[in-house]
């Protein structure tokens, strides 16, 4: 449309120098380090483009260095488009995007029109759309000419229009720039302004932005003389730029990284100040071993070579050429498995607490592409084993113990195992630091069968302590798991039994080869075609405390007879036992007396009832006298029993005091 052409002539054609990507460093925590560099002439501006979602990381990490002096950086604001457009005195409405609707908002603006050979100038009075015959429309513009005449012009006949107001032109340019940025919502541009100076200068920009983590996969090749570990790195270029002949490095480790909202435009809500009388009241987020046998640790340490060089070699020829002759990553033949012809050209070094693989030759990865690059190929200390860790399985797993004597940190990933020139299975491994070792399992060994039998012993009293009237007994419960291992094959094997570490349990009869945070590992040598038994015994200790006064004589007797007690402790508890028995005897005698008293009292009550009944019948005086005599005899006996009960009660109280005193004095 004409009005769009008129406005677009005000948008300047801006040019800026591109800074190509020179170096890429990929990490394991979702961030990549990028370095761009190029030459800027005096006063030239460099341009960097990023995803809108990456701007927080760009503003946090962008660093500039090089020979060119930089005045500063400019970038597109994150202020919402609607908010930015609301500041202009006109709008290009989506509902009515006609030229009259736009010009009608510019009433009073001075415009110069070209209609064929005629040029006129005047102030805009209005613009409108009129309905014509046959449902046609006519667009008109009404101007107040400098002569004072008001004239109407058909917009279809106008060949050109210019606004005389420079401020209005700038507003139109800015309005269109905001609209253009809104259409590219996923892209943001950062401009680097260089200081005017003579000659061209080099400028380098480095930053860290979100990037896919690099992935590692390995090939473990068992040969006749040595075992080879081959490592491949998988990198993905999801950026908007081609990585052409870049220096590529891969870092093993997870440095701390986070998102800080620096790109978001922030506004502070200011309070509204009012006089008191005008204001209402306001309401007031396979393990490595932690211990191993000394001889194994020393042996592993002796296998380690000297540390790898720390220098990072500069880029040379393109790595693509060397990869063209590399074998595919699928299944290999027996001959290919024996000797790989992959060209590995990396320099490995420690980078602080991290470890870095840097490719010596430049790497090219087009945008939207991924690459698989070899970063490791060298012999590794490996030992074939069997590992048994699943009690529900009859067979152990084919496994290997890898000791990292490569001088390089091995990043975690899948391992494909080749043995005797053929595919043997697959495994997963965690990151292995230099000098550390890991177990991997990659297949089931059908030539070995294992059964386990569980046996538990009754509690055994290990220790008895007494203090301040409290007896503390430490018990021990022993459990044994006996593994019966049958080696069917006619070749020797080494089996690693992995036994879970249980809180509160202590090993008794076996010493583990190594210990992880959750398991013990025991090595068992298996002769060809034999059956071995391997028991693992554990003991759990627990304490039980009780007041000595609450213990019965029978329980005290079992503790007195316990062989773990010292002679002094046995005498002290024996004294308490004797007093307890005396106390029990007196209590029993008192109970017997009280039972006799109760029987006499019941008999007396019966005789009194009989006497009362006989007194109502004549001629029964002799029988009444006989009952009265018996009552008198029983009264004498009751008095004697009560006396004896009182004496026993005094003895019981004295004995109780002596017993409490003896208990308080016990301490062992």
């Amino acid at each position: 449309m004409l009005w769009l052409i008129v406005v677009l002539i005000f948008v300047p054609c801006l040019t800026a120098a591109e800074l190509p990507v020179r170096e890429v460093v990929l990490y394991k925590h979702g961030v990549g380090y990028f370095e761009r560099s190029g030459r800027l002439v005096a006063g030239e501006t460099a341009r960097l483009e990023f995803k809108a979602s990456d701007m927080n990381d760009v503003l946090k990490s962008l660093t500039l260095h090089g020979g060119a002096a930089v005045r500063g950086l400019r970038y597109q604001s994150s202020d919402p488009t609607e908010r930015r457009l609301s500041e202009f005195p006109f709008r290009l409405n989506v509902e009515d995007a006609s030229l009259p609707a736009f010009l009608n908002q510019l009433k009073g603006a001075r415009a110069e029109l070209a209609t064929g050979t005629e040029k006129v100038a005047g102030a805009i009075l209005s613009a409108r759309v009129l309905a014509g015959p046959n449902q046609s429309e006519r667009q008109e513009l009404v101007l107040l000419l400098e002569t004072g005449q008001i004239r109407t012009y058909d917009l279809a006949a106008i060949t050109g229009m210019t606004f005389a107001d420079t401020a209005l032109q700038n507003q139109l340019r800015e309005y269109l720039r905001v609209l253009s940025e809104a259409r590219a919502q996923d892209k943001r541009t950062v401009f680097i302004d260089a200081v005017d100076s003579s000659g061209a200068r080099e400028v380098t920009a480095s930053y860290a932005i979100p990037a896919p983590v690099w992935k590692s996969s390995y090939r473990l090749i068992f040969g006749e003389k040595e075992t080879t570990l081959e490592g491949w790195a998988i990198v993905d270029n999801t950026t908007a730029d081609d990585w052409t002949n870049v220096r590529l490095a891969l870092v093993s480790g997870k440095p701390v990284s986070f998102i800080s909202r620096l790109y978001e435009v922030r506004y502070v809500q200011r309070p509204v100040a009012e006089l008191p009388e005008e204001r209402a009241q306001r309401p007031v987020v396979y393990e490595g071993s932690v211990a191993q046998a000394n001889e194994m640790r020393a042996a592993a340490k002796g296998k380690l070579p000297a540390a790898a060089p720390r220098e990072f070699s500069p880029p040379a020829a393109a790595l693509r050429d060397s990869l063209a002759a590399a074998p595919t990553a699928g299944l290999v033949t027996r001959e290919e498995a024996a000797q790989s012809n992959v060209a590995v050209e990396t320099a490995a070094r420690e980078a602080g607490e991290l470890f870095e693989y840097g490719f010596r030759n430049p790497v090219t990865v087009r945008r939207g592409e991924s690459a698989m690059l070899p970063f490791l190929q060298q012999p590794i200390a490996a030992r074939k084993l069997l590992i048994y860790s699943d009690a529900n399985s009859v067979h152990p797993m084919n496994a290997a113990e890898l000791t990292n004597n490569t001088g390089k940190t091995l990043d975690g990933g899948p391992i494909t195992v080749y043995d005797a020139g053929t595919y043997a299975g697959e495994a997963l491994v965690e990151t292995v630091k230099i000098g550390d070792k890991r177990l991997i399992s990659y297949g089931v060994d059908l030539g070995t069968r294992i059964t386990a039998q569980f046996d538990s012993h009754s509690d055994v009293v290990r220790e008895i302590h007494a203090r301040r009237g409290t007896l503390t007994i430490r018990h021990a419960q022993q459990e044994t798991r006996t593994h019966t291992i049958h080696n069917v094959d006619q070749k020797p094997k080494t089996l690693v039994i992995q036994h879970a570490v249980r809180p509160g349990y202590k090993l008794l009869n076996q010493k583990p080869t190594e210990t992880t945070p959750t398991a013990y590992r025991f090595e068992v040598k298996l002769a060809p075609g034999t059956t071995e038994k391997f028991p693992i015994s554990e003991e759990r200790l627990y304490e039980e405390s009780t007041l000595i006064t609450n213990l019965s004589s029978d329980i005290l007797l079992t503790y007195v007879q316990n062989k773990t007690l010292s002679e002094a402790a046995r005498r002290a508890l024996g004294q308490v036992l004797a007093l307890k028995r005396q106390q029990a005897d007196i209590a029993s005698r008192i109970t017997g007396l009280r039972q006799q008293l109760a029987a006499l009292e019941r008999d007396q009550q019966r005789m009194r009832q009989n006497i009362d009944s006989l007194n109502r019948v004549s001629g029964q005086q002799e029988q009444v006298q006989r009952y009265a005599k018996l009552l008198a005899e029983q009264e004498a006996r009751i008095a004697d029993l009560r006396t004896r009960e009182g004496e026993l009660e005094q003895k019981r109280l004295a004995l109780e005091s002596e017993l409490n005193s003896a208990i308080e004095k016990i301490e062992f």
Side-chain angles (χ1 to χ4, degrees), residues 592-644:
L593 291 176
R594 289 175 178 173
Q595 290 175 350
Q596 294 180 45
L597 286 171
L600 289 173
E601 288 175 352
R602 288 195 300 271
D603 195 30
Q604 280 189 331
Q605 184 178 6
R606 179 182 59 80
M607 286 189 292
R608 288 191 178 95
Q609 290 176 351
N610 290 337
I611 291 173
D612 186 59
S613 299
L614 291 173
N615 284 332
R616 296 189 182 96
V617 180
S618 61
Q620 298 295 327
Q621 292 300 318
E622 184 178 354
Q623 187 64 29
V624 171
Q625 292 297 325
R626 187 180 301 113
Y627 280 138
K629 183 179 180 181
L630 289 175
L631 282 175
E633 292 174 356
Q634 287 182 347
E635 283 295 334
R637 189 176 176 186
I638 289 175
D640 180 61
L641 290 176
R642 292 193 183 280
T643 301
R644 291 166 57 188

Side-chain angles (χ1 to χ4, degrees), residues 200-445:
R201 299 292 182 90
E202 189 80 14
V203 62
T204 300
S206 59
Y207 51 86
I209 59 174
V213 300
W214 69 279
K215 303 169 285 288
S216 53
S217 66
Y218 298 92
R219 320 290 183 262
L220 183 66
I221 305 171
F222 286 106
E224 294 183 1
K225 297 182 179 180
E226 64 181 10
T227 302
T228 302
L229 184 65
E230 183 177 290
W232 291 78
I234 300 172
V235 298
D236 306 290
N237 182 4
T238 59
T239 66
D241 301 288
D242 293 335
W243 299 347
T244 304
N245 293 333
V246 300
R247 298 188 302 272
L248 177 63
L250 309 174
V251 176
S252 176
K254 293 184 179 180
V256 174
S257 181
F258 55 88
I259 296 175
S260 183
R261 295 186 298 176
L262 301 177
Y263 184 57
E264 177 183 320
V265 176
R266 301 178 186 175
Y267 295 93
V268 176
Q269 186 66 35
R270 296 178 297 162
V272 177
E274 300 173 344
L275 294 175
E277 62 272 14
E278 298 174 351
R279 183 174 62 222
Q281 181 64 37
R282 287 175 175 265
V284 176
V285 169
Y286 292 106
E287 305 169 319
S289 63
V290 296
Q292 58 186 1
N294 293 333
E295 59 272 13
M296 299 272 308
R297 189 184 299 111
K301 184 177 180 181
K303 295 178 182 178
L304 296 180
R310 291 176 174 268
E311 291 76 12
F312 186 87
S313 300
L319 184 61
R320 300 192 308 274
D321 301 333
S322 64
L323 290 177
T328 61
L331 293 177
V332 299
T333 65
R334 295 174 184 267
E335 292 77 12
E336 289 173 333
Q339 184 176 2
S340 176
N341 62 346
V342 173
V344 178
E345 297 181 349
T346 58
R349 69 184 183 97
E350 291 185 359
E353 299 300 323
L354 310 176
F355 195 86
E356 179 182 276
Y357 286 95
F359 290 87
R360 289 190 175 95
N361 295 330
V363 175
T364 296
V365 183
R366 304 298 180 187
R367 58 182 174 179
E369 292 183 349
S370 299
M372 189 169 174
L373 309 172
F375 67 91
L376 175 73
Q377 186 191 51
Q378 63 186 89
I380 189 172
R383 187 165 62 113
K384 288 185 179 180
L385 300 168
L386 302 178
I387 184 169
Y388 181 72
S389 58
D390 184 5
N392 297 320
S393 176
V394 178
H395 303 286
M397 300 290 292
N398 288 319
E401 180 188 75
L402 303 180
T403 300
N404 186 5
N405 62 341
T406 63
K408 305 169 184 176
T409 294
L410 303 178
D411 193 73
I415 298 179
T416 302
V417 181
Y418 296 97
D419 192 5
T422 189
Y423 172 85
E426 299 173 0
L428 279 173
V429 68
E430 298 175 326
T431 298
V432 188
K433 301 291 286 185
I434 300 172
D436 200 0
K437 66 178 181 180
R438 287 292 188 278
L439 287 175
I440 63 169
S441 60
Y442 52 87
V444 178
D445 179 40

